[in-house]
Amino acid sequence: MKVKLLTVFVALGVCAAGAVSEELPVFTDVTEQAGIHFKQSFGDFELSNIVEGTGSGAMFFDYNGDGRLDIYFPNGRWLKDVSDNRGRELKGKLRNCLYRNNGDGTFTDVTEEAGVGGGDSYGVGCSAADFDYDGDLDLLVLNYGPDIFYRNNGNGTFTDISRDSGLANPYWGVSAPWFDYDGDGDLDVYVANYLEYDSGKFRSFYAASGYPGPLSYNGRPDALYRNNGDGTFTDVTKEAGLFQLNGRAMSATIADLNNDGCLDIYVANDAMENYYFRNKGDGTFANDGLVMGLAFGEGGQGVSSMGPVIGDVDRDGWLDVYIPDMGYGCLLMNRKDYFEDRTSPSNLAAICGQYTGWGGLLFDYDCDGYLDVFVANGDAHHEYAEGAVLARNDGKGNFVDVAGKSGEYFRQKYVGRGATCGDYDNDGDLDLLVVNLNDRARLLRNDGGNKNNWLTINAKLPNGKTDAIGARVIVTVGSLTQIQDLIPVRGYLSQADPRCHFGLGGAAKADVVEIRWPDKRFTRLTNVKANQILTVIQEPKQKG
């Protein structure tokens, strides 16, 4: 086994074993000093329809393989069938943006030289994965209209292979998690599609609401594309048992929710039931959402679910689901045979109930070993700003509102949409990236999260470069065991840092780190020092 160690020393100091810091971290808005000038646009000056109101997401990913997280933003456009004529002056002036991490806290806009501006396409979501196993990340941009798939050329540039690859999905794509659904060793992709917008023809709605809601339009089916291993993909949605004619996906993610070693699909839909597709292990799936209590929360079918995030909230070894929505949000706790709605008992209903939730995260921002909640909020039909949520997990099943103690950003209001997290400065705590509708995106640096100890696992396949998408990482410290599935596409329209981050509290080491690789082989490490980014490369299979 090859194990590459990279120890990152924490400037703010590391607590001794057994001593856990009581001082809470704060998030500092470093957008301007980082050189990020991206402003989200819906291609118009006035919010007037569901396409514009959906907003867009963002992505942390290392496109050039230098060990530092870069940033990609999809963006809207002025389109004749979507935008008002008054916004026509924006035509040709909007683009998606790629920012390269310079390693000194700043970023450089490299969109033009990389060739990933998106042309005239209306960008909504994005994801990245090494689909051809050549060691670099390829980029899929989800659009209102045909999606764009860029192959990474390995020299800082990309080539559009959308049509040749078969991934020019014609519907309104919003989210695209990658995983090896059939166990053949290459990455397939599930493309979640939203609805069929009618260019503004439907007008029977209450004018004060701003514009018609999702049930005024026909839904669209999602699609599973099988990687053929030759640079092309085949739509296998129906044969895999996944076809749902009238879905209205807002985002999707992947996880092994029943601990059987197979990766399942979870889709959050707008104003209808959510889908839980259980992987049967034979290349097909069963829709068990209703049976498992994952189709609806206590809010019922009227809830508009947004971006699902998955993590082991109570550290019982089973992954739970959190979904922001237009009501109280929905925390569904995994009880093995069913999921229990714990939104109200956990105090999240009281914290989130006044807001309209979109981009949610489950992440351990203070490195104490328990997952906390962030939600970007904003009105759905008007540019009415709302405060963001930061709720700290007390480790006893309750969440505490700490937004007011967590930095100036939380004392302002925005029309939030997509959000993601990643350790962009490699200092051991997770930073935030938030997309606000018709406004500047914000990079929020975590200051103080690394006062507690931490460990980041960078799991790579045998070539040493490709992320082990679908691997499960298990970290044990004393009686506390944490699990994380390596699926970076999570939350609303976005993708997060693919490296698995674990807070260790006051522990100076992890007793055991175990990785279940995508091919179900295992690697086990013991007495792993805290406060490092540890790259673990899977051993090649023995021939014969």
Side-chain angles (χ1 to χ4, degrees):
M1 177 186 63
K2 299 178 182 178
V3 180
K4 178 182 177 184
L5 289 172
L6 172 61
T7 304
V8 180
F9 293 97
V10 182
L12 295 177
V14 176
C15 298
V20 180
S21 172
E22 295 294 329
E23 184 179 349
L24 295 180
V26 297
F27 286 92
T28 303
D29 187 339
V30 296
T31 314
E32 187 67 29
Q33 68 191 66
I36 295 174
H37 305 292
F38 173 79
K39 179 181 178 181
Q40 197 277 345
S41 175
F42 45 72
D44 210 340
F45 295 123
E46 184 176 345
L47 188 62
S48 60
N49 59 65
I50 199 168
V51 179
E52 297 174 349
T54 298
S56 56
M59 176 166 60
F60 277 124
F61 77 133
D62 182 7
Y63 86 97
N64 57 358
D66 64 356
R68 300 188 289 260
L69 292 177
D70 310 298
I71 292 172
Y72 188 78
F73 295 108
N75 202 13
R77 302 292 193 277
W78 185 91
L79 295 179
K80 185 177 180 180
D81 65 333
V82 172
S83 312
D84 189 280
N85 280 337
R86 287 171 292 180
R88 186 184 292 271
E89 67 181 75
L90 295 173
K91 186 177 181 181
K93 296 180 181 179
L94 301 173
R95 60 172 189 162
N96 306 342
C97 285
L98 173 63
Y99 283 92
R100 185 186 64 223
N101 189 331
N102 299 322
D104 59 0
T106 68
F107 291 78
T108 298
D109 186 337
V110 294
T111 311
E112 297 306 318
E113 64 188 72
V116 292
D120 295 328
S121 297
Y122 193 110
V124 178
C126 51
S127 69
D130 183 9
F131 89 101
D132 49 6
Y133 197 64
D134 65 352
D136 48 40
L137 291 171
D138 309 292
L139 172 62
L140 181 58
V141 184
L142 293 311
N143 297 315
Y144 172 75
D147 298 334
I148 302 175
F149 188 40
Y150 294 105
R151 185 186 64 226
N152 193 326
N153 298 322
N155 60 2
T157 68
F158 292 77
T159 298
D160 185 343
I161 60 168
S162 309
R163 294 191 179 279
D164 291 343
S165 67
L167 288 185
N169 166 58
Y171 299 142
W172 179 359
V174 292
S175 177
W178 297 80
F179 71 125
D180 182 7
Y181 91 95
D182 53 1
D184 66 353
D186 50 30
L187 290 175
D188 314 295
V189 62
Y190 184 91
V191 176
N193 294 310
Y194 193 19
L195 50 76
E196 182 183 8
Y197 181 59
D198 66 353
S199 303
K201 296 181 179 65
F202 182 82
R203 305 303 299 170
S204 299
F205 66 97
Y206 178 49
S209 68
Y211 52 79
L215 295 181
S216 302
Y217 310 100
N218 294 325
R220 287 294 200 186
D222 300 340
L224 176 65
Y225 291 95
R226 184 186 64 218
N227 189 333
N228 298 322
D230 60 0
T232 67
F233 291 79
T234 300
D235 186 336
V236 294
T237 313
K238 291 183 177 179
E239 63 191 72
L242 293 168
F243 185 77
Q244 300 286 328
L245 179 63
N246 208 30
R248 293 179 179 84
M250 293 302 282
S251 284
T253 192
I254 307 291
D256 179 9
L257 287 174
N258 57 358
N259 285 355
D260 66 351
C262 299
L263 293 169
D264 312 304
I265 303 169
Y266 190 78
V267 184
N269 288 308
D270 199 357
M272 56 179 286
E273 76 272 16
N274 298 326
Y275 299 147
Y276 163 52
F277 295 115
R278 176 177 55 83
N279 190 330
K280 295 162 65 175
D282 60 0
T284 66
F285 295 79
N287 189 357
D288 288 350
L290 283 170
V291 175
M292 293 298 294
L294 285 167
F296 303 106
E298 291 179 353
Q301 67 181 16
V303 171
S304 294
S305 297
M306 303 301 183
V309 286
I310 292 176
D312 185 6
V313 172
D314 54 2
R315 298 307 191 200
D316 66 349
W318 295 78
L319 292 172
D320 313 299
V321 181
Y322 178 71
I323 315 153
D325 59 40
M326 292 179 67
Y328 300 94
C330 195
L331 177 64
L332 301 174
M333 300 298 293
N334 194 333
R335 304 306 186 207
K336 302 180 184 179
D337 296 323
Y338 69 98
F339 283 75
E340 178 187 3
D341 190 321
R342 296 285 297 174
T343 316
S344 182
S346 70
N347 201 40
L348 282 176
I351 296 173
C352 300
Q354 61 184 308
Y355 301 121
T356 308
W358 298 82
L361 299 169
L362 283 174
F363 73 134
D364 185 3
Y365 89 103
D366 55 357
C367 297
D368 68 349
Y370 288 90
L371 295 173
D372 312 296
V373 170
F374 171 85
V375 186
N377 301 302
D379 192 87
H381 291 244
H382 303 275
E383 290 185 69
Y384 298 160
E386 299 178 0
V389 161
L390 185 63
R392 184 173 182 263
N393 188 337
D394 69 358
K396 301 176 183 178
N398 306 306
F399 286 88
V400 179
D401 184 353
V402 295
K405 305 175 182 178
S406 301
E408 181 62 27
Y409 183 85
F410 293 92
R411 291 187 279 273
Q412 307 298 321
K413 294 182 178 181
Y414 302 89
V415 188
R417 288 299 187 262
T420 191
C421 63
D423 186 4
Y424 84 91
D425 50 4
N426 285 342
D427 69 347
D429 50 30
L430 293 174
D431 312 295
L432 293 172
L433 182 64
V434 186
V435 177
N436 297 308
L437 195 69
N438 199 29
D439 196 359
R440 293 264 316 261
R442 303 287 173 163
L443 178 64
L444 306 176
R445 187 184 65 211
N446 186 332
D447 290 331
N450 52 17
K451 288 183 178 179
N452 287 326
N453 296 327
W454 53 272
L455 178 64
T456 297
I457 303 298
N458 191 20
K460 298 289 187 179
L461 293 179
N463 68 0
K465 298 180 179 180
T466 301
D467 295 326
I469 299 295
R472 169 164 289 189
V473 182
I474 307 166
V475 173
T476 301
V477 179
S479 61
L480 180 68
T481 296
Q482 305 177 49
I483 64 173
Q484 186 173 336
D485 287 348
L486 201 170
I487 300 291
V489 177
R490 53 185 182 267
Y492 186 65
L493 313 177
S494 298
Q495 176 166 320
D497 190 340
R499 302 170 298 183
C500 296
H501 173 269
F502 300 90
L504 302 186
K509 64 180 177 63
D511 298 319
V512 179
V513 173
E514 191 171 37
I515 301 174
R516 184 187 72 196
W517 300 98
D519 62 7
K520 300 185 181 178
R521 292 187 292 149
F522 283 83
T523 293
R524 190 173 190 269
L525 309 173
T526 58
N527 297 319
V528 179
K529 291 181 180 179
N531 305 320
Q532 62 171 316
I533 297 174
L534 175 63
T535 296
V536 183
I537 302 173
Q538 184 185 21
E539 290 183 344
K541 282 187 177 180
Q542 297 296 322
K543 295 182 179 180

